[in-house]
Amino acid sequence: MTFDPQQLGRPKQELAAVLKELRMRAGLTGDRLARRCNMSQSKISRIENGRAQASLLDLERILRAVAAPPEVTEEVIALARLANTEWQDLRSLRRRGLEKKQTELAALESSTTEFRFFLLSMITGLLSTPEYIRASLAHAPSDVTRTIARKLERQEVLYDTTKRFAFILTEQAVRWPLLSPSAMAMQIDRLASLSHLANVKLGVIPTAGHKPIAPMDTFTVYDNSLVTVENTTGVVILRDPRDIDMHVELFSTLEEYAVFGEEVRVLLAEWSAACRA
């Protein structure tokens, strides 16, 4: 299925309306459908009114109960994936104010226990020095002072020992010269320092060697419930379990390419020294 960014984030009412129409075509009341699906009538009502999001299991039960033909089932599943996908374009985020996005991220981080970050080309704000954060926002059209402050505040979550973090960075992400050599050395030193935290697993994928899988985007997995995928123009938010499982599997593969612990600290020390030289 191909996602049209203009469609992403459309109201979930379309999926709700399709499910309601299928029930009515099957000649079923909400109560009869609920009994066939072993669900409550109130849940069926919330799904059909768009007040509750049907899970994949819910959809399978409903589609089987209304005897939906295979082509309709395929369309509904595709629509469900679209309903579970949200697009946030960078220009809209900037119009709203980037600091508001930082507040949303802080709330998401507060409710998440396990984090998986794959960083393809840049270092994420949680791991960044103030200088790196400022440089990453250099092209923002408005004042970013409050955004920088919120990004730095968010870093406190790393020290919450009830949470677990796994960061995988490519060598390009670590060494891309966003700052002057001396400032980049300090940024790389910060990565090495954070790798000592007991609840932080920080790995780097060196450029050398054969790696048959080539990831295309930066992404973050929050528990097993949500994935954000970043590109140049914005962020795609995925809630479909299939999309989440795919990114968790990809992250596991990328972990096999990375080095960790003392081995990664040796690499980081070499790169930091190269900057200072």
Side-chain angles (χ1 to χ4, degrees):
M1 178 181 180
T2 300
F3 290 137
D4 178 354
Q6 298 302 318
Q7 293 179 305
L8 301 185
R10 70 166 53 169
K12 296 179 177 64
Q13 295 296 329
E14 185 174 347
L15 176 61
V18 169
L19 294 175
K20 184 175 182 178
E21 182 181 353
L22 288 173
R23 172 181 62 77
M24 295 177 69
R25 284 184 182 180
L28 297 173
T29 64
D31 186 56
R32 285 184 63 195
L33 176 61
R35 289 200 299 272
R36 285 192 181 187
C37 298
N38 195 25
M39 296 162 59
S40 69
Q41 193 277 330
S42 61
K43 183 173 183 179
I44 292 291
S45 177
R46 290 196 304 274
I47 289 172
E48 291 187 354
N49 289 319
R51 296 196 302 270
Q53 181 65 43
S55 68
L56 283 179
L57 180 58
D58 294 335
L59 286 175
E60 289 171 1
R61 289 175 176 173
I62 291 171
L63 292 169
R64 189 163 53 247
V66 301
E71 64 274 13
V72 172
T73 296
E74 184 177 344
E75 291 178 7
V76 170
I77 295 299
L79 184 57
R81 174 168 282 183
L82 190 61
N84 277 285
T85 305
E86 178 184 348
W87 166 250
Q88 296 182 348
D89 69 275
L90 183 58
R91 281 175 290 197
S92 296
L93 291 173
R94 285 174 171 173
R95 283 196 300 270
R96 290 175 53 216
L98 293 176
E99 70 276 5
K100 293 181 180 178
K101 179 63 176 178
Q102 297 306 308
T103 300
E104 293 174 3
L105 287 171
L108 179 58
E109 289 159 358
S110 175
S111 62
T112 301
T113 300
E114 184 175 6
F115 302 76
R116 300 176 183 91
F117 290 81
F118 172 69
L119 307 170
L120 179 64
S121 57
M122 288 185 67
I123 299 169
T124 187
L126 290 182
L127 304 176
S128 297
T129 63
E131 292 80 9
Y132 194 98
I133 292 173
R134 182 173 295 280
S136 71
L137 296 170
H139 299 291
S142 57
D143 180 46
V144 293
T145 303
R146 287 186 295 178
T147 302
I148 294 171
R150 291 294 289 128
K151 278 179 172 281
L152 292 172
E153 288 173 10
R154 283 177 47 223
Q155 293 180 355
E156 295 179 10
V157 74
L158 292 174
Y159 303 95
D160 183 344
T161 56
T162 66
K163 300 179 183 294
R164 300 186 304 280
F165 298 86
F167 296 94
I168 298 177
L169 302 88
T170 64
E171 181 175 339
Q172 173 183 316
V174 175
R175 304 188 72 181
W176 186 265
L178 190 67
L179 303 171
S180 67
S182 60
M184 280 304 303
M186 293 178 64
Q187 173 61 77
I188 295 171
D189 289 344
R190 172 167 169 78
L191 295 178
S193 175
L194 291 172
S195 73
H196 287 281
L197 292 176
N199 62 328
V200 171
K201 182 180 181 182
L202 190 147
V204 171
I205 300 176
T207 302
H210 176 228
K211 300 169 182 69
I213 300 297
M216 303 301 292
D217 301 289
T218 286
F219 64 87
T220 306
V221 183
Y222 297 88
D223 289 327
N224 285 322
S225 59
L226 184 146
V227 173
T228 61
V229 181
E230 300 177 44
N231 58 39
T232 303
T233 56
V235 180
V236 179
I237 300 173
L238 304 169
R239 296 182 176 85
D240 190 296
R242 293 163 297 182
D243 295 324
I244 295 169
D245 289 346
M246 186 196 76
H247 283 86
V248 169
E249 183 178 347
L250 174 59
F251 191 88
S252 296
T253 299
L254 296 170
E255 275 188 308
E256 297 174 4
Y257 301 159
V259 296
F260 297 90
E262 194 56 38
E263 191 174 356
V264 77
R265 287 189 281 272
V266 168
L267 262 185
L268 293 172
E270 290 176 1
W271 296 341
S272 175
C275 288
R276 290 189 165 90

